[in-house]
Amino acid sequence: MDIETQLRAALAEREAAGLLRRLRVTETPRPFASNDYLGLARHPRLVAAAQEAAGRYGAGSTASRHVCGNLPVHAALDEALAVFKRREAALAFSSGYAAALGTIPALVGKGDAVLLDKLSHASLIDGARLSGATLRVFPHNHLAALEKLLTTEAARARRILIVTEAVFSMDGDTAPLREIVALKDRFDGKAWLLVDEAHATGVFGPGGRGLAAELGLEGKIEVEMGTLSKALGSSGGFIAGSRLLVDTLVNHARSAIYSTAPNPASCGAALEALALVGEAEGEARRKRLWGAIHRFAAGTSLPAQSPIFPLLCGTEEQALTASARLAEQSLVLPAIRYPTVPRGKARLRVSLTADTPLAEIERLLALL
Ligand SMILES: *Cc1c(COP(=O)(O)O)cnc(C)c1O
């Protein structure tokens, strides 16, 4: 069979299973579908900062950080991220995906082990696979299983990297970070912890500094990952931690070394967002967001854990039907299907933002 026939057959198979994805053009903001939790992506201050950075540094960075692409705006962003996370150093990447893909293989390889929460984001799974380390998956948030894996792997692996998320992207629940830190600390520095705060940055903790900050774990997690693309309204990813960690990434993270430095406009916007989240306006936006979260939780009897609510539908077909019926009422709730979530766990994923109108929340609750 020729390649074209094979590719057509694979897509037809997906379509028959209700799993075909198509890109749709979205022009207006979607109140229940975006990850723009603080409503900053269209904020005039961020837009102006992006324009200003583009005007000053250009539309592109022209080269990787190591060649001539490391502009003042990148140095300022790295520094601002380190200050924001209260760590020695930080490094911004072009995306959260690139941060994961570069960082995990920079820290572990053959002879090492990565212990990964079962519900971890694709970028973390891909980074772990790329590293060549032994990949061990523990059931979601299962501390006893993690402890067992740690004990087994400590006997044979050179290094262990535990990988989890602060807020899980498709379920909206949080990780027991205090307990995981305590477990990891029993292994005398042979086990490090990477926490991806993609959905917690800007949303949790004092000044929006994340879930680790909220739980009093500042400085206790070796590898703090986040994205600039969600609550911070820009695009890019970052890692914060010790100077040694960042020096290691500068030398070994291939997604940073062999890729053009992050876009100046995105960096300018991210810098403005970092300032804004710490100000009274950021506080007010977080307050509005949490008000929306509590209202939606009360209306659905789901726990108010984060801006993300999974409305489980069961089959892929049921999720698509529910999504289509809400779309008729001009409510866009994406149907999340396999392979993003396990088979039989298809869902509508509701994400709330500080700008979601309360009247829209009431309308959605009534329709549900
Ligand atoms: C969105 C997301 C990423 C990727 O971040 P981008 O900046 O969009 O590439 C990584 N991890 C998690 C948990 C995410 O939800």
Side-chain angles (χ1 to χ4, degrees), residues 66-142:
H66 286 274
V67 180
C68 62
N70 196 39
L71 307 170
V73 75
H74 297 113
L77 180 56
D78 290 346
E79 178 57 29
L81 284 165
V83 169
F84 176 65
K85 296 296 287 183
R86 305 204 170 159
R87 301 303 300 255
E88 268 174 23
L91 187 69
F93 291 74
S94 299
S95 71
Y97 188 85
L101 222 62
T103 301
I104 299 174
L107 296 175
V108 288
K110 215 166 171 309
D112 303 328
V114 176
L115 314 184
L116 190 79
D117 187 286
K118 174 110 176 80
L119 294 190
S120 294
H121 189 260
S123 61
L124 303 170
I125 298 170
D126 294 356
R129 284 199 183 131
L130 189 61
S131 75
T134 304
L135 179 55
R136 309 293 304 269
V137 174
F138 57 93
H140 179 48
N141 280 347
H142 200 305

Side-chain angles (χ1 to χ4, degrees), residues 95-98 121 123 165 167 169 196 198-199 225 227 229-230 236-237:
S95 71
Y97 188 85
H121 189 260
S123 61
E165 294 180 27
V167 172
S169 55
D196 180 355
H199 297 273
M225 174 174 153
T227 165
S229 335
K230 286 163 182 159

Side-chain angles (χ1 to χ4, degrees), residues 104-323:
I104 299 174
L107 296 175
V108 288
K110 215 166 171 309
D112 303 328
V114 176
L115 314 184
L116 190 79
D117 187 286
K118 174 110 176 80
L119 294 190
S120 294
H121 189 260
S123 61
L124 303 170
I125 298 170
D126 294 356
R129 284 199 183 131
L130 189 61
S131 75
T134 304
L135 179 55
R136 309 293 304 269
V137 174
F138 57 93
H140 179 48
N141 280 347
H142 200 305
L143 291 165
L146 173 59
E147 181 173 11
K148 211 164 151 213
L149 281 179
L150 269 167
T151 310
T152 317
E153 291 302 330
R156 55 181 180 214
R158 189 179 58 137
R159 305 173 183 173
I160 300 172
L161 184 66
I162 304 167
V163 175
T164 192
E165 294 180 27
V167 172
F168 286 84
S169 55
M170 293 300 142
D171 290 70
D173 59 339
T174 57
L177 293 182
R178 273 202 198 108
E179 291 76 5
I180 295 176
V181 165
L183 256 181
K184 173 264 301 177
D185 282 343
R186 291 186 357 216
F187 290 83
D188 300 325
K190 248 188 99 169
W192 271 17
L193 173 61
L194 181 156
V195 176
D196 180 355
E197 295 241 27
H199 297 273
T201 305
V203 174
F204 284 84
R209 288 188 280 111
L211 185 63
E214 178 157 317
L215 297 175
L217 297 172
E218 275 178 331
K220 303 212 162 133
I221 293 165
E222 289 82 6
V223 191
E224 296 199 57
M225 174 174 153
T227 165
L228 309 170
S229 335
K230 286 163 182 159
L232 295 176
S234 177
S235 72
F238 67 87
I239 298 287
S242 65
R243 170 52 57 192
L244 172 65
L245 170 69
V246 170
D247 287 347
T248 300
L249 296 182
V250 165
N251 282 277
H252 296 286
R254 294 169 65 88
S255 63
I257 299 168
Y258 299 105
S259 184
T260 301
N263 191 282
S266 304
C267 297
L271 269 167
E272 193 64 24
L274 286 172
L276 202 152
V277 291
E279 296 170 10
E281 179 172 353
E283 209 57 61
R285 283 176 176 268
R286 256 190 306 286
K287 213 171 143 196
R288 281 218 306 278
L289 171 63
W290 280 98
I293 293 169
H294 286 290
R295 175 63 197 107
F296 194 78
T300 51
S301 304
L302 290 166
Q305 305 176 101
S306 77
I308 303 165
F309 291 87
L311 306 177
L312 292 179
C313 300
T315 68
E316 342 290 339
E317 223 71 86
Q318 284 164 326
L320 284 174
T321 307
S323 177

